[in-house]
Amino acid sequence: MAEDTAVEFLTALDEEQRAAAEALLGPVVILAGAGTGKTRTITHRIAHGIAMGIYAPNRVMALTYTNRAAGELRLRLRQLGVGPVNVKTFHSAALSQLEYFWPQFAGVPAPMILNAKAAMLGSIASANSIELDSASIRDLASEIEWRKLSMLSLEKYAQLENRPKVAGLSHSVNVKLQRAYEDAKIKAQKIDFEDVLILTLGMLRAEPRALEHVRQQYRFFTVDEYQDVSPLQHALLDEWLGDRTDLCVVGDPNQTIYSFTGATSDFLKNFTHRFEDATRVQLTRNYRSTLEIVNFANLLSEGSLEPLEAQGSIGLKPVVKSFGSDSEEAAAIAEAVQRQLEFGTPAQAIAVLYRVNGQSEAIENALAKKNIEYSVRGGERFFNRKEIQQAMQGIRAEAVISTGKSLHHSVSDICRSLGWQAKEPAEPGAVREKWAALNAFIGILDEMPEGATLADFARELDERKRSQHEPVQASVTLSTIHAVKGLEWPVVFVAGLSEGYLPISYAQTAAEIAEEQRLLYVAVTRAGRELQLSWSRRDSVSGRDRSPSRFLARFDSNQAGNRNQS
């Protein structure tokens, strides 16, 4: 790329973003508050470095926390015309190296990965005459993940007798089941996702040739969501980096919400202690939310960072409401969603967020009664839907023959053969769900570069399926707060803000309560134009009384809108 192109990449940035993008060599830490354009900054920094001839695209490694984030980063780089930059999650990067080097040094293919821990853990518990429900099995699986990402052997973990109980089990029984799980994996000749990191780290430390190969391949590292890196991931990053210092990390301590998986913001907070010559840039200009929402969010932020500065309009004050029961709360949210739709707000511009999965049922029922289409994040995967798989098969088949039709014509014809039509069907339920999925499938074409072929589209679909980079569908989003970091909507409802849910009942220590507060901060900062927070005074199922979340006390009548009780 020419130097004038490099300058163009910088003109799209504000002063702080530009400072970050111009710091191309050495250690760089970017403290990026919510909505401050961190993805734009990262991608323009990489593009600028390549345009200046400082970075070779294939020697850049950009690491993200989720497959969805990796897909978004990859798409943004492609739209900037950047070459083959490696954008991966820690797990996918480690797996690629494990699968490449393991046959060379072990003489056999890399071990197969266990699809999920639940089935194996359930069988192990039953074999030990222990009955665990699905929630308890998930808790035990999460504890195994925490132990491994924290780099604790079973022997060291067994010594943590003050560790909180998991699934109601005594610590000794917990250790016993974990040991049986490890033995069962070995017997089945399989590994889990955390083992991928462990084995890759061990292989690179034991095989100098493999380590040298990786260090020759990757020279410049960018790590997104650095506040969520675990000790195990960081140890692997250190091996990849070696004694070099061309590392750019991006994160926000206010959005540290995954400590239960072993993540820690200490690496982010201590970055300038480790690298005393590091360039430090803080992004505070929020381009996502109105002034009222930004001011609301700042009440929840930690004092270690400068407050967010709204760049948008003043907007409506966030609303805090209480209701007699969670069913009344859900009905009121559904009513408010319906009004938004009637006023012309697209369904995909609305989200309803909550702390735990179990809170979604009442909201789903209330939306269904009003025939409002919704999708639950974490539900059925888009690319696993039958009609999408059929459409992808059709794309692959037609890609090998020359039809003379345009890309859009070919894709729309294939979707029409599966029941899609230009006009949205009036009937709700499965028919409209299928139409919405195929419509979103066609919408991926809008993100393809000019001149793309059907074969290019087929490759794009395969990559999106692999990275779980799903298109936005025309439906209201329902999700836990943990699953929406990095996402945004113009209109957001945050439901169930009562003690026991947020903060969650098992959050007892000061550190745990602080993380619950950060979780609410993440929820609030997803909203662009309108925000409603609500809680109910009684549980509809148990009949127990509830009290409002302690965090709501931060929003007095001068800072929040209508606080009526329904």
Side-chain angles (χ1 to χ4, degrees):
M1 295 183 186
E3 190 168 333
D4 57 346
T5 304
V7 173
E8 288 179 14
F9 289 134
L10 298 179
T11 57
L13 306 177
D14 66 29
E15 183 179 349
E16 292 77 22
Q17 292 171 342
R18 179 167 182 158
E22 288 181 314
L24 295 173
L25 295 174
V28 179
V29 56
I30 304 171
L31 299 173
T36 58
K38 71 178 178 65
T39 303
R40 169 183 285 268
T41 304
I42 293 171
T43 52
H44 281 70
R45 179 180 182 275
I46 292 172
H48 176 59
I50 292 171
M52 292 294 291
I54 296 175
Y55 299 163
N58 64 340
R59 300 202 70 193
V60 176
M61 171 70 86
L63 295 160
T64 67
Y65 192 72
T66 65
N67 284 315
R68 187 207 60 79
E72 177 65 23
L73 196 59
R74 197 178 296 114
L75 174 64
R76 298 271 197 103
L77 287 169
R78 188 178 65 200
Q79 290 172 339
L80 292 174
V82 174
V85 171
N86 293 278
V87 183
K88 297 177 180 289
T89 64
F90 275 91
H91 279 90
S92 63
L95 182 59
S96 295
Q97 293 172 22
L98 191 69
E99 291 178 338
Y100 180 80
F101 291 114
W102 193 269
Q104 298 180 38
F105 297 110
V108 294
M112 297 291 290
I113 298 177
L114 196 66
N115 287 331
K117 299 180 180 73
M120 183 173 284
L121 286 173
S123 297
I124 290 168
S126 296
N128 284 271
S129 301
I130 300 172
E131 293 302 320
L132 297 178
D133 58 22
S134 57
S136 298
I137 291 174
R138 284 197 303 270
D139 289 345
L140 183 56
S142 294
E143 185 73 356
I144 292 171
E145 182 178 344
W146 177 87
R147 171 177 63 80
K148 293 186 175 185
L149 290 175
S150 299
M151 301 185 73
L152 293 173
S153 66
L154 260 175
E155 288 68 32
K156 288 184 178 179
Y157 178 80
Q159 298 172 15
L160 301 180
E161 296 184 358
N162 292 328
R163 181 79 181 152
K165 275 191 174 184
V166 178
L169 303 171
S170 68
H171 187 63
S172 60
V173 173
N174 170 12
V175 172
K176 178 182 178 180
L177 292 181
Q178 290 199 42
R179 182 168 284 114
Y181 166 76
E182 297 299 332
D183 292 341
K185 280 198 294 97
I186 294 172
K187 186 175 180 180
Q189 297 183 327
K190 290 190 176 182
I191 59 177
D192 58 30
F193 280 103
E194 293 71 52
D195 292 334
V196 171
L197 300 177
I198 293 170
L199 290 178
T200 303
L201 178 61
M203 179 185 66
L204 294 178
R205 287 176 172 175
E207 300 292 348
R209 286 178 296 166
L211 182 58
E212 181 63 23
H213 182 105
V214 172
R215 289 181 178 174
Q216 285 292 326
Q217 175 67 51
Y218 303 118
R219 180 72 176 82
F220 306 98
F221 291 85
T222 297
V223 184
D224 191 15
E225 303 288 5
Y226 194 61
Q227 78 278 350
D228 289 327
V229 169
S230 69
L232 178 56
Q233 291 169 325
H234 206 271
L236 190 55
L237 175 64
D238 280 346
E239 289 299 325
W240 291 336
L241 191 65
D243 59 1
R244 299 167 299 181
T245 61
D246 291 315
L247 170 64
C248 174
V249 301
V250 188
D252 179 5
N254 280 325
Q255 297 188 65
T256 305
I257 59 173
Y258 290 106
S259 65
F260 63 91
T261 67
T264 172
S265 61
D266 289 348
F267 298 118
L268 176 63
K269 293 176 179 177
N270 297 329
F271 191 83
T272 53
H273 296 297
R274 178 183 178 184
F275 300 104
E276 294 182 355
D277 60 338
T279 299
R280 181 183 184 275
V281 181
Q282 185 165 345
L283 307 182
T284 59
R285 303 188 200 194
N286 179 288
Y287 296 95
R288 174 185 300 159
S289 308
T290 63
L291 174 64
E292 293 286 0
I293 293 175
V294 167
N295 289 342
F296 205 64
N298 281 334
L299 296 172
L300 293 165
S301 65
E302 295 180 347
S304 58
L305 295 178
E306 295 178 20
L308 294 174
E309 304 169 25
Q311 303 300 300
S313 60
I314 295 177
L316 299 172
K317 283 190 175 183
V319 175
V320 178
K321 291 188 175 183
S322 68
F323 298 92
S325 67
D326 46 15
S327 58
E328 290 179 16
E329 179 184 15
I333 289 174
E335 182 69 30
V337 168
Q338 187 175 54
R339 286 198 300 271
Q340 288 284 346
L341 297 174
E342 291 170 350
F343 292 155
T345 304
Q348 63 267 29
I350 304 171
V352 184
L353 311 180
Y354 37 82
R355 177 62 174 84
V356 298
N357 285 310
Q359 292 174 279
S360 74
E361 184 177 0
I363 300 167
E364 290 183 58
N365 291 338
L367 291 173
K369 286 179 181 178
K370 292 185 173 295
N371 291 326
I372 297 173
E373 294 295 326
Y374 65 87
S375 57
V376 181
R377 283 190 65 81
E380 183 182 17
R381 293 287 184 189
F382 178 82
F383 288 104
N384 289 343
R385 292 184 65 97
K386 181 180 179 180
E387 61 272 15
I388 300 304
Q389 291 181 338
Q390 291 172 332
M392 290 178 67
Q393 290 170 359
I395 298 295
R396 294 190 194 100
E398 198 162 305
V400 301
I401 59 176
S402 179
T403 63
K405 295 188 291 187
S406 69
L407 175 59
H408 191 278
H409 192 179
S410 296
V411 174
S412 59
D413 279 356
I414 289 170
C415 290
R416 285 181 194 279
S417 71
L418 297 171
W420 178 83
Q421 56 187 8
K423 185 178 180 180
E424 181 179 356
E427 61 267 39
V431 172
R432 191 184 293 174
E433 285 180 14
K434 179 179 179 180
W435 178 89
L438 289 170
N439 203 55
F441 182 84
I442 294 173
I444 298 175
L445 290 171
D446 295 335
E447 300 178 10
M448 295 297 294
E450 187 176 349
T453 65
L454 202 59
D456 294 330
F457 189 55
R459 285 190 290 271
E460 173 71 10
L461 293 172
D462 287 338
E463 174 58 32
R464 282 180 175 245
K465 180 178 180 180
R466 186 194 66 78
S467 65
Q468 299 173 16
H469 184 200
E470 302 180 351
V472 176
Q473 297 189 61
S475 58
V476 176
T477 298
L478 271 58
S479 179
T480 63
I481 303 170
H482 278 104
V484 298
K485 192 145 68 71
L487 302 178
E488 60 185 89
W489 295 267
V491 180
V492 170
F493 297 85
V494 187
L497 292 178
S498 60
E499 289 289 309
Y501 278 132
L502 195 69
I504 199 72
S505 57
Y506 51 77
Q508 298 295 325
T509 67
E512 290 168 341
I513 295 298
E515 180 143 335
E516 293 292 298
Q517 180 175 314
R518 292 193 294 270
L519 195 59
L520 181 54
Y521 174 86
V522 168
V524 166
T525 54
R526 298 314 93 196
R529 188 182 77 225
E530 295 183 44
L531 172 68
Q532 176 181 300
L533 291 83
S534 60
W535 64 283
S536 63
R537 299 188 294 276
R538 178 161 297 199
D539 187 310
S540 295
V541 177
S542 68
R544 294 194 186 99
D545 289 336
R546 291 189 180 135
S547 57
S549 167
R550 69 193 72 181
F551 305 132
L552 294 179
R554 290 173 174 260
F555 313 128
D556 62 30
S557 58
N558 294 321
Q559 292 148 334
N562 181 12
R563 300 178 62 92
N564 72 304
Q565 297 192 352
S566 299

